[in-house]
Every structure is written in C-alpha cells, then in structure tokens.
Amino acid sequence: MSESKLGNSIKIRLSIAFFIALTPGISADDLPRKAKTPPESYPNVDVIYDSVTTLRGERLRTIITKPHGSDGKLPVIFVAGWLSCDSVEAPAGTKDETGITFQGLSQLPAFCLFRADKQGVGDSEGVCAETDFDSELAGYRAAFQALKKYDFIDTNQIYILGISNGGGFGPLVPESDAEQAQVRGYVVVGGWVKTWFEHMLEIERRRFGLMGKSPAEVNERMKGAATLYYDWLIKKMTVDQILREHPELAELWLEGKDHAHLYGRPLVFYEQLQNLNLAAAWSRVKVPTLILHGQYDWIMSREDSELMARYVNANRPGTARFIEVPDMGHTFQHYLNFADAFKGKSAAFDPKVLRLLTDWFKQQEKNAAPGSASQEARN
C-alpha cells in the first residue's frame, strides 16, 4: 500500500472512530469499515459492530442490535442470508425492502438481532464471488457459536431467520445437537427444500414463461435446460465440456462466456448445494416455524415452502405455519403482478410483511413466558 493510500486509510478509520464515539450504543472493533455510509443508529437501540473469524482466518463483520438499557438476557434473531453478494447492513434511508425489514426487527422490543456479512461483503474479508457454499456455511456457524460471548443474549432462545438460500439451509447452521437444542424457532422467507437440480429446472421454466416465450417454446427450451443442468449437477461435467458436446445449449447458459460462475457465485457453490439433503434437515425440525412465500415469487416455488411445512408438521402437528403472502415477491418486495416482479419493478414497501414477522416473534416470546402452556410442555 502506498503512503498516500495508507494515510487516507488512517484518516478514514479515525473519522469512523470519531463518528462512533459520538453515537450512543455503537461500538467498533479492529476490522475497518469499507462502507461509505454511517453505521446503523436507532433511538433506544444499542448497535454493536463486531466480527468473527472463520476457520480459514477470514474475519466477517457482525452487526448486533439490542434494546437500550435492557436488563438480563434476551432472545436473539439470527439471520441466515441469501445467495447474492449483498450486505446485511441497513443504513439510514435505505430503499431496500430487506434493509427496511432489518430496521424494523432491530427496534423490536425484548429481542436482539444478529447479522453477519459473508466473505467479501460489506466490511468482511474474503472474496464473495469465489467463496464456495461450504465455506460460507462455516462462516455462519462461526457467527452462531459467537452468540455465547455476549452476556445480554439468551443462547437458549435463538430464532433463525432464513432468507432465500438461507431459508433452505437454516437448520444446518447449528452444527451439534447441543446447538440444535438452543434453537426455539425458524422463520423462512422464500426458502427451498428440494434438490438444487430440481430448483434450476423449475426456475428456468418460470423464467422462460416470463420472458414471453410461448408454451411450445418453453417446452423446447426445457429439453435443453434439462440436459444442461443434468450434465452439470448430476453427471458432474464442467460447463465447458457440456457446451463442447452440445454447442446449441450455449444460449441457455445465463452467464454467456463466463463458464465459471452463475448468479455471481462460483459453480462449486451450487454443486455443494446439490449435495445437500434439505428434506432430511427439515424433517428433524420440531420447533415453531413460520414459512412465508410471496404470491409473486418467481425465484422459489410455492411447493418448496409447502413441503417444508409438511415435514415439520409431521414431527409435531401445528408446529409449522405456511403463509402465501399476497403481493410479496421473493423476499420482502411488494409487486403488483408477476411481470413487475420479473423486471424488479417494485411498488412501495408494504409493512404487512414486517408485521407478520414481529407478531410471530412476539407470540413466541409470550409462549416462552414462565407459566405458559408451551413453557410447561418444553420443561
């Protein structure tokens, strides 16, 4: 690093430290901020910027919020994030629907919110575009294990909020039986539970239709897509090998000439997703689970969410609740129709989805209160 760049870096860090020192409830560690926006800040909420270190030595930024002046230990909402390389930070003035939801959850009385940015995202070290799923999951597990170092978090009252890809692998975050026992509930938004191969076929069929292809054209394209994704995910061929044998399939590959990535992640990421058995993972869940699927979610199928609820309810009837949320997209967006959802043309954020979450968490808090029927059953 040149002297001029080093000087600028020191100036930036001092400016951030000065801002944090003047902002109640915000603390900093030695992981420098890359973000150009000020840290999160809320009235009556403490915001703690911290970090965890993965087994590979990468430090991942964490953001913890808790009610200011709270006494004793509080339940925590642990976020298992999405596939894309987007930060979990929710700066003031954000228009992002997930960020708005995080801001709402950060101000939920009697709960903490714990978020971790994956490798190479936000202030975290590493390169997101080259990080495989196993390494990303290891980062979430390191963050989950770090919950115990905060004396204000009740590690026997952990709720996992899984969003998109995280909505599928959420039950894999607790690694041991002891950690599994710490989880009191799951919330899933736009999750998945089938194999990734099935997911790719389903999303491609929806995508072709939303592109305006005729039913006949969709079927013809699906024949090619089936070959492409079967050869890659099942037969373990490389994309280069597949396209050499089937050059006519090149137009179906979303990334054009980039045969090493898909949706901004390395291909091994999806090969590892294909190796997962999420049906087995969700079949072991026996705690309250809220599963949300948007009416205009063209990314993940409604059937995945319904199957997830069915697997959990097979253990304890009534434990899981599935809701198809009117006008919601893949996660927290508000759309007027599928065409707008496909184009990403969202309407104003609808707070009803945030209320679904906050009402559910408040109900779990009530159920866990001493003397409640659910608490007695748990004991």
Side-chain angles (χ1 to χ4, degrees):
M1 181 181 288
S2 68
E3 288 186 9
S4 61
K5 288 184 178 180
L6 178 60
N8 289 335
S9 175
I10 293 173
K11 290 177 183 177
I12 291 170
R13 291 189 63 179
L14 288 174
S15 297
I16 291 169
F18 180 73
F19 176 88
I20 291 173
L22 295 180
T23 306
I26 295 180
S27 63
D29 67 354
D30 60 351
L31 182 59
R33 279 180 56 80
K34 303 173 190 174
K36 296 179 181 179
T37 56
E40 290 184 30
S41 178
Y42 309 95
N44 303 315
V45 174
D46 294 338
V47 183
I48 302 166
Y49 281 76
D50 207 342
S51 66
V52 298
T53 303
T54 69
L55 293 175
R56 299 198 307 187
E58 298 161 324
R59 289 185 299 171
L60 309 182
R61 172 67 76 206
T62 59
I63 307 171
I64 309 100
T65 58
K66 73 180 185 72
H68 182 67
S70 56
D71 296 324
K73 294 182 178 292
L74 297 173
V76 61
I77 302 166
F78 181 96
V79 176
W82 42 83
L83 184 148
S84 65
C85 297
D86 296 302
S87 176
V88 295
E89 193 169 23
T94 183
K95 304 297 182 183
D96 175 72
E97 294 87 349
T98 302
I100 295 171
T101 302
F102 286 159
Q103 290 176 344
L105 293 176
S106 293
Q107 300 173 80
L108 182 62
F111 277 88
C112 301
L113 179 68
F114 190 102
R115 289 163 282 163
D117 267 326
K118 63 188 72 174
Q119 289 87 339
V121 176
D123 299 322
S124 294
E125 297 175 342
V127 182
C128 181
E130 303 305 331
T131 300
D132 62 16
F133 173 73
D134 290 348
S135 299
E136 183 175 304
L137 178 60
Y140 282 115
R141 286 175 168 172
F144 186 92
Q145 291 160 9
L147 292 174
K148 62 179 176 289
K149 80 174 189 178
Y150 301 99
D151 58 8
F152 54 85
I153 289 179
D154 184 352
T155 53
N156 288 315
Q157 296 286 338
I158 301 173
Y159 295 90
I160 294 181
L161 168 58
I163 303 171
S164 187
N165 191 38
F169 71 75
L172 301 179
V173 173
E175 194 168 8
S176 65
D177 290 342
E179 290 178 354
Q180 292 284 353
Q182 295 176 307
V183 178
R184 293 299 178 220
Y186 290 90
V187 175
V188 176
V189 183
W192 63 290
V193 77
K194 300 175 186 174
T195 66
W196 195 256
F197 171 67
E198 290 173 275
H199 163 72
M200 288 308 304
L201 293 185
E202 291 177 347
I203 190 176
E204 289 297 76
R205 176 171 286 279
R206 290 190 293 270
R207 185 172 71 89
F208 295 151
L210 289 166
M211 286 170 60
K213 302 299 180 183
S214 70
E217 289 175 312
V218 170
N219 265 21
E220 283 302 313
R221 281 175 166 256
M222 286 306 301
K223 293 176 183 178
T227 298
L228 175 62
Y229 293 111
Y230 182 84
D231 284 358
W232 170 34
L233 293 170
I234 307 300
K235 294 178 67 176
K236 309 300 183 183
M237 295 173 63
T238 68
V239 174
D240 283 334
Q241 290 173 328
I242 297 167
L243 297 186
R244 277 198 297 268
E245 290 188 12
H246 304 281
E248 72 279 5
L249 301 181
E251 65 170 325
L252 298 179
W253 183 248
L254 281 166
E255 304 295 342
K257 294 182 179 180
D258 183 354
H259 298 168
H261 300 85
L262 181 64
Y263 306 134
R265 309 305 299 269
L267 297 193
V268 66
F269 189 99
Y270 307 99
E271 293 161 9
Q272 291 168 352
L273 292 184
Q274 173 63 20
N275 291 336
L276 300 179
N277 190 332
L278 296 184
W282 281 102
S283 293
R284 293 190 290 269
V285 171
K286 299 179 181 180
V287 293
T289 303
L290 175 66
I291 302 168
L292 306 182
H293 181 265
Q295 177 185 4
Y296 297 130
D297 183 357
W298 65 274
I299 305 294
M300 297 293 184
S301 75
R302 170 177 172 144
E303 187 181 30
D304 276 77
S305 294
E306 292 175 323
L307 286 171
M308 195 180 292
R310 187 186 307 169
Y311 299 153
V312 177
N313 283 329
N315 293 320
R316 292 183 179 176
T319 298
R321 181 186 181 194
F322 164 74
I323 300 177
E324 177 88 348
V325 184
D327 303 324
M328 192 175 83
H330 176 47
T331 54
F332 302 104
Q333 310 89 349
H334 178 207
Y335 294 113
L336 301 181
N337 50 57
F338 267 116
D340 284 354
F342 185 61
K343 297 174 184 176
K345 183 181 176 182
S346 60
F349 177 75
D350 189 340
K352 70 184 177 188
V353 64
L354 177 58
R355 287 196 298 270
L356 280 173
L357 269 59
T358 56
D359 288 351
W360 188 86
F361 285 121
K362 289 176 182 177
Q363 184 61 51
Q364 302 316 304
E365 179 191 17
K366 182 179 178 181
N367 292 346
S372 68
S374 63
Q375 180 65 28
E376 291 174 3
R378 184 181 300 164
N379 294 337

